[in-house]
Amino acid sequence: MAEVLSEPQFQIFTHSKTGVKTGRIYFPALFLADYHVLTTQWLQRKEVLFTPQDLKRYPDGSFRLYFRTNNSLETEYLQLIKPLTGNK
């Protein structure tokens, strides 16, 4: 049986030659159903940089996003999930 994810899955990748870091977040459909407004607001943050080529949509409504930022990748991810954890 497949595992159903209810929270985004976050990873950081470092390019082996350039050292440039890129964040990857998988947004599961279940998370998007509950938090589509939160997700949309986060994607519209000027600090979160991506192009249409950085986005892959899946038939179940989930999607994967590669993004960059001038800030810490982890800090930007924490901005997304902060409302879910109740941390301020």
Side-chain angles (χ1 to χ4, degrees):
M1 180 181 281
E3 179 181 354
V4 176
L5 298 174
S6 60
E7 294 184 10
Q9 303 298 302
F10 173 69
Q11 292 179 294
I12 297 175
F13 295 97
T14 304
H15 192 279
S16 61
K17 294 184 180 178
T18 66
V20 173
K21 294 184 184 278
T22 302
R24 179 176 77 178
I25 302 178
Y26 172 73
F27 291 90
L30 186 57
F31 176 81
L32 293 170
D34 291 336
Y35 300 105
H36 63 278
V37 172
L38 172 74
T39 303
T40 301
Q41 290 171 345
W42 184 83
L43 290 169
Q44 293 174 346
R45 290 172 46 91
K46 65 180 179 167
E47 296 86 359
V48 179
L49 308 170
F50 61 93
T51 66
Q53 293 81 13
D54 296 325
L55 179 68
K56 175 160 183 172
R57 298 173 196 215
Y58 297 100
D60 68 352
S62 63
F63 68 93
R64 179 191 69 210
L65 174 73
Y66 288 93
F67 74 98
R68 291 157 305 287
T69 182
N70 291 326
N71 301 327
S72 158
L73 293 164
E74 187 172 8
T75 298
E76 290 305 326
Y77 173 69
L78 293 174
Q79 287 293 322
L80 170 65
I81 64 167
K82 183 180 4 178
L84 307 177
T85 62
N87 294 333
K88 295 191 178 192

